[in-house]
Amino acid sequence: MEALFATVTGFLAASGLYLALRGRTFPVVVGLTLLSYAVNLFLFSTGGLTTNGAAVIEDGVDYYADPLPQALVLTAIVIGFAMTAFSVILAMRVRGDQGSDQVNDQRAEEPKEERS
Amino acid sequence: MQHLIILPILLPLLSGLLMLVRRDSVVLPRRAIALASTLLLFIVSALLVHQSASGQITYYALGDWQPPFGIILVLDRLSALMVCLTSFLALGSVAYACAGDDRKGSNFHGLFQLQLMGINGAFLTGDIFNLFVFFEVLLIASYSLLMHGGGKDRTQAGFHYVALNLAGSSMFLIALGVLYGTTGTLNMADMAQKVAALDPERLGLLKAGAFLLLVVFGLKAAILPLYFWLPRAYASAPAPVAALFAIMTKVGVYAILRVYTLIFGGSAGELANFVQPWLWWFALATLALGGVGVLSARDLRGQVAYLILISVGTLLVGVSMNREAPIGALLYYMIHTTLVSGGLFLLADAIGEQRGKAGARIVPGRGVTQPALLGLLYFLGAVTVIGLPPLSGAIGKALLLDAALPSEQPWLWSLLLLSSLAGLIAMSRSGSTVFWKAGKRDSDGPRLKTTMLIGLILLLGASPLLSILAGPITAFTDASAAQLLNHDAYLEAILPPPVDGGES
């Protein structure tokens, strides 16, 4: 299971990083989202991978999973989700303001110099 | 007053929420709430400084969950100093914003208070995951504040800023995961103890996590290979926001100072002080590049952004020397540079407003409406930020230069003095272009409003005050540095005394 988990996390992170380095805003947003998925999976695994373990102390149970990474992942998911929504809206705003979805739109800078 | 520690977080949170209640209401009550809350915050933080000056480290266990299990807020001299500095800077920029900048978009004051909450939380927390959460709080507020008022430039600079910081947050989480996976704790004091007694097989993993954390903090602090977002974002942000952002790079510097002296500090076994030699070269390079950048800036605000870069280089050089004297010196320099660069951002905006079409660009254009007043403030700000005696910049830099060992002197002295020279040339060139090569001035053009003047005087006028009070302030910063480097006292204050035998 560890090998599969590590491969999936690594693949997600690599895809996310590749997309985040693209030149258009939409792939960048998708890349950052994938990266945050990879991070969530990674955080989840930091307590060690356990299947069928109890997270809360209970009588008659002696097989536990580490509950802290689960709480951390929950926080990270909430923040990541909000930030994805924000960056999608921001990317649309950039598209509206610049008239192009390039992350580094050079056209927007040149007329500004002339106007001065 | 045990609950005083949490007030710098609760106060801005409550007033920020209060301002969201009626979004359509008139501006005046919101301004009053913002000013009152910031003023109250300053009083609270002054009390905290007074409380911490006794040298005792106190902590506040949220929900009474005792460390190392619960989340704690820790008050020592350094964190009290940083909170006090933040609230003073915020007071100046809120006052300036009340002159009309807050009307250019919605919810300025609410977001501003929430950002203050994030900054204060980052300075006070003693839990490394909580540090991440407060970083996010301050970043999310800063994303919206950066784009306050809208405009092409701001949205593009804002998108770069958001994308970079989202990637940074991901790396922060990965680093935290590695740190938690190897040490099994998130409390900074407990982690410091665990790192010292770590299984040597896991050392490499922990080291990788620590370096990743340095990358994240370096991104926030804008150290050399990670600074590219800074000049553009700061130059396009609205003036009061840019002034508050002067503390944002210092949050990164603070995090580096805290984590790499406490967790990976002198008593961390094999990992003791392993980051500092790296930091030394990167900080020197940042210093050199800031000097080049400040000469190349074509806009007053871009120039101040590069001056911030110089100050970041100077601060991190002090961090990397990792001794009591340089850290004390850099804390004094940090107070000075945060306030004066915030004030210069406000001043650049005021100048730009009075020059009409020429704006803040460094070109001969229309003269400002109040040349005497603005010229005097500009002169004061320039002398301070470059570090000419007798104002505070000179004292800070002299203390730092004095603290260098003979082996460090050739690099530090030459680069710090050269970058100051670059700053001197650039500031005098832009000052003479703006004030002396000016054309006819429009005598009924826009004038400084009273609140703008209050904001400017608070921030720029702090510098003469800092040099008059240099004695008590350096005594406090030196004591903070000593406290920071004394790990055992910190661990003793936070962690419960070890139980005999029952160590797992």
Side-chain angles (χ1 to χ4, degrees):
Chain A
M1 191 170 71
E2 274 88 355
L4 182 65
F5 197 92
T7 316
V8 169
T9 314
F11 188 71
L12 270 177
S15 326
L17 208 58
Y18 172 76
L19 284 176
L21 295 174
R22 304 293 290 169
R24 287 170 186 268
T25 49
F26 184 68
V28 170
V29 172
V30 175
L32 289 172
T33 313
L34 285 184
L35 201 57
S36 78
Y37 289 165
V39 167
N40 290 343
L41 281 177
F42 177 76
L43 264 190
F44 195 68
S45 69
T46 52
L49 292 174
T50 25
T51 40
N52 224 0
V56 182
I57 292 177
E58 217 178 327
D59 287 334
V61 179
D62 52 359
Y63 186 59
Y64 286 107
D66 190 346
L68 195 64
Q70 303 179 11
L72 301 186
V73 165
L74 211 56
T75 317
I77 288 174
V78 173
I79 294 176
F81 200 63
M83 288 327 300
T84 307
F86 183 78
S87 53
V88 168
I89 295 295
L90 185 59
M92 286 168 68
R93 181 76 185 272
V94 172
R95 170 80 179 81
D97 279 359
Q98 314 273 359
S100 115
D101 62 350
Q102 296 288 331
V103 175
N104 268 320
D105 192 3
Q106 300 301 324
R107 284 181 311 167
E109 285 180 14
E110 280 156 19
K112 198 190 90 188
E113 298 283 315
E114 281 164 26
R115 236 189 289 130
S116 51
Chain B
M1 278 303 283
Q2 168 206 357
H3 294 290
L4 205 61
I5 302 180
I6 200 170
L7 267 187
I9 297 169
L10 281 187
L11 197 67
L13 174 65
L14 290 178
S15 57
L17 288 181
L18 197 64
M19 279 183 253
L20 292 180
V21 173
R22 277 193 60 193
R23 294 189 51 188
D24 55 336
S25 67
V26 270
V27 181
L28 196 65
R30 264 191 243 161
R31 282 184 184 167
I33 298 173
L35 279 173
S37 145
T38 318
L39 197 64
L40 205 59
L41 186 66
F42 180 65
I43 296 170
V44 168
S45 60
L47 285 176
L48 285 178
V49 168
H50 178 72
Q51 188 183 331
S52 71
S54 66
Q56 206 184 3
I57 297 172
T58 37
Y59 70 89
Y60 184 87
L62 291 157
D64 207 20
W65 290 92
Q66 293 300 318
F69 302 109
I71 291 174
I72 53 167
L73 303 176
V74 183
L75 181 79
D76 64 354
R77 286 200 184 99
L78 176 62
S79 49
L81 178 73
M82 296 308 291
V83 170
C84 191
L85 177 62
T86 310
S87 57
F88 191 79
L89 181 72
L91 204 57
S93 45
V94 166
Y96 189 91
C98 284
D101 271 332
D102 53 352
R103 275 183 209 241
K104 289 181 184 154
S106 57
N107 280 330
F108 175 86
H109 287 300
L111 288 166
F112 195 91
Q113 294 295 323
L114 291 178
Q115 170 148 22
L116 280 183
M117 171 200 163
I119 296 174
N120 287 340
F123 287 142
L124 284 172
T125 186
D127 181 285
I128 201 158
F129 193 80
N130 206 224
L131 183 69
F132 164 76
V133 174
F134 278 120
F135 262 69
E136 285 301 304
V137 172
L138 76 89
L139 282 175
I140 291 170
S142 77
Y143 297 153
S144 329
L145 278 177
L146 179 61
M147 280 166 271
H148 176 79
K152 254 186 191 177
D153 257 11
R154 279 183 197 157
T155 38
Q156 197 174 30
F159 188 77
H160 292 177
Y161 180 70
V162 171
L164 258 175
N165 276 304
L166 283 181
S169 300
S170 301
M171 283 196 281
F172 200 161
L173 280 174
I174 294 175
L176 287 185
V178 172
L179 255 56
Y180 176 73
T182 44
T183 60
T185 179
L186 288 169
N187 182 296
M188 290 194 210
D190 195 30
M191 195 179 274
Q193 218 171 33
K194 294 269 162 59
V195 165
L198 195 75
D199 176 11
E201 269 182 27
R202 315 198 83 175
L203 222 53
L205 195 56
L206 186 68
K207 205 169 175 178
F211 269 125
L212 202 54
L213 211 54
L214 183 69
V215 172
V216 178
F217 294 152
L219 179 68
K220 307 282 188 260
I223 190 172
L224 176 67
L226 302 164
Y227 81 95
F228 296 98
W229 58 272
L230 185 134
R232 206 157 163 209
Y234 278 38
S236 59
V241 176
L244 183 67
F245 278 15
I247 194 87
M248 295 268 282
T249 48
K250 277 72 186 181
V251 177
V253 174
Y254 165 84
I256 291 177
L257 192 58
R258 176 69 80 194
V259 168
Y260 296 100
T261 58
L262 177 62
I263 302 179
F264 304 102
S267 56
E270 271 190 59
L271 288 183
N273 300 329
F274 73 101
V275 156
Q276 275 81 359
W278 292 78
L279 208 53
W280 167 254
W281 295 111
F282 281 119
L284 284 177
T286 313
L287 198 56
L289 202 106
V292 176
V294 88
L295 284 174
S296 75
R298 284 181 293 176
D299 187 278
L300 281 179
R301 314 180 54 175
Q303 200 169 50
V304 186
Y306 277 108
L307 285 171
I308 286 197
L309 212 60
I310 292 184
S311 76
V312 166
T314 315
L315 291 172
L316 287 174
V317 162
V319 173
S320 69
M321 295 203 279
N322 200 32
R323 289 185 310 274
E324 203 177 307
I327 291 180
L330 90 88
L331 290 178
Y332 180 84
Y333 184 76
M334 174 131 68
I335 306 175
H336 140 79
T337 184
T338 309
L339 294 179
V340 76
S341 42
L344 280 174
F345 269 124
L346 298 183
L347 187 63
D349 181 69
I351 292 174
E353 208 166 90
Q354 296 198 357
R355 292 177 79 211
K357 235 173 79 183
R361 279 176 300 119
I362 307 171
V363 287
R366 200 172 81 186
V368 293
T369 323
Q370 295 163 293
L373 180 65
L374 288 185
L376 193 71
L377 284 172
Y378 184 84
F379 181 69
L380 181 71
V383 166
T384 313
V385 80
I386 297 161
L388 293 180
L391 295 178
S392 54
I395 301 176
K397 281 186 181 169
L399 284 172
L400 195 65
L401 291 178
D402 186 46
L405 290 180
S407 62
E408 295 161 341
Q409 274 168 4
W411 292 101
L412 178 64
W413 285 39
S414 54
L415 280 172
L416 187 58
L417 293 176
L418 275 178
S419 70
S420 303
L421 179 67
L424 178 72
I425 295 169
M427 292 291 278
S428 40
R429 194 180 54 191
S430 57
S432 54
T433 310
V434 168
F435 290 103
W436 290 345
K437 286 191 195 156
K440 242 182 73 182
R441 66 196 161 92
D442 182 2
S443 50
D444 13 279
R447 290 175 164 272
L448 275 188
K449 298 196 181 74
T450 326
T451 48
M452 286 166 108
L453 191 62
I454 293 174
L456 281 171
I457 288 179
L458 267 181
L459 297 187
L460 289 176
S463 169
L465 206 65
L466 273 174
S467 30
I468 294 168
L469 296 178
I473 293 176
T474 45
F476 187 84
T477 54
D478 284 343
S480 318
Q483 193 178 38
L484 194 66
L485 293 177
N486 186 359
H487 315 96
D488 297 335
Y490 190 92
L491 299 189
E492 234 169 73
I494 306 282
L495 296 174
V499 186
D500 290 333
E503 194 64 38
S504 58

